[in-house]
Amino acid sequence: QVQVVESGGGLAQAGGSLRLSCAASGRTYVMGWFRQAPGKDREFVAGMRWNPGNTYGNTYYADSVKGRFTISRDDAKNTVYLQMDSLKPEDTAVYYCAAGRDYSASAWKPSTYDYWGQGTQVTVSS
């Protein structure tokens, strides 16, 4: 069983930045971030996948965050990061990290992921 633990988040002003971290306790090949705002469905934010040999990888972003958010990873720590810049009030949500082992699956689909974190709150004030 892989455990996924998020950290970071908090309160930021519009135009500001925050960074989220997500550590997975076991080997995974696809990791992503989703978010859920009050009264809305959970939506994909960003994801990345890589092959077991770590010779290639891909990153994916929702249109709403493209150019503002950056997903990256530290392979040695099995940790992914979500750098969030130029934050907007509409980015306010609970952010969830997810991890999976099927590197051929679509990183933007919730069904790709086997393990989910508990979520961390991000609040952006105007």
Side-chain angles (χ1 to χ4, degrees):
Q1 183 78 3
V2 174
Q3 290 192 332
V4 177
V5 180
E6 304 113 332
S7 60
L11 178 64
Q13 290 189 329
S17 300
L18 286 172
R19 190 175 86 151
L20 305 181
S21 300
C22 174
S25 63
R27 178 54 60 188
T28 58
Y29 301 106
V30 55
M31 294 184 75
W33 291 94
F34 292 76
R35 67 187 181 187
Q36 187 167 19
K40 295 188 176 181
D41 293 333
R42 189 173 297 190
E43 64 175 2
F44 169 74
V45 176
M48 63 189 314
R49 60 181 183 177
W50 57 94
N51 68 325
N54 212 20
T55 54
Y56 71 84
N58 302 96
T59 56
Y60 306 88
Y61 296 93
D63 288 342
S64 59
V65 306
K66 208 171 287 184
R68 300 189 298 121
F69 290 11
T70 303
I71 188 170
S72 62
R73 74 185 179 101
D74 184 330
D75 186 57
K77 297 180 180 179
N78 211 26
T79 298
V80 293
Y81 305 94
L82 185 67
Q83 178 67 40
M84 304 184 293
D85 299 318
S86 302
L87 284 163
K88 303 176 181 180
E90 50 265 43
D91 294 319
T92 295
V94 177
Y95 283 69
Y96 297 90
C97 180
R101 292 192 171 128
D102 186 357
Y103 62 91
S104 66
S106 302
W108 54 89
K109 293 183 179 179
S111 58
T112 291
Y113 299 94
D114 305 300
Y115 312 102
W116 291 80
Q118 301 247 338
T120 184
Q121 177 70 45
V122 170
T123 302
V124 183
S125 61
S126 57

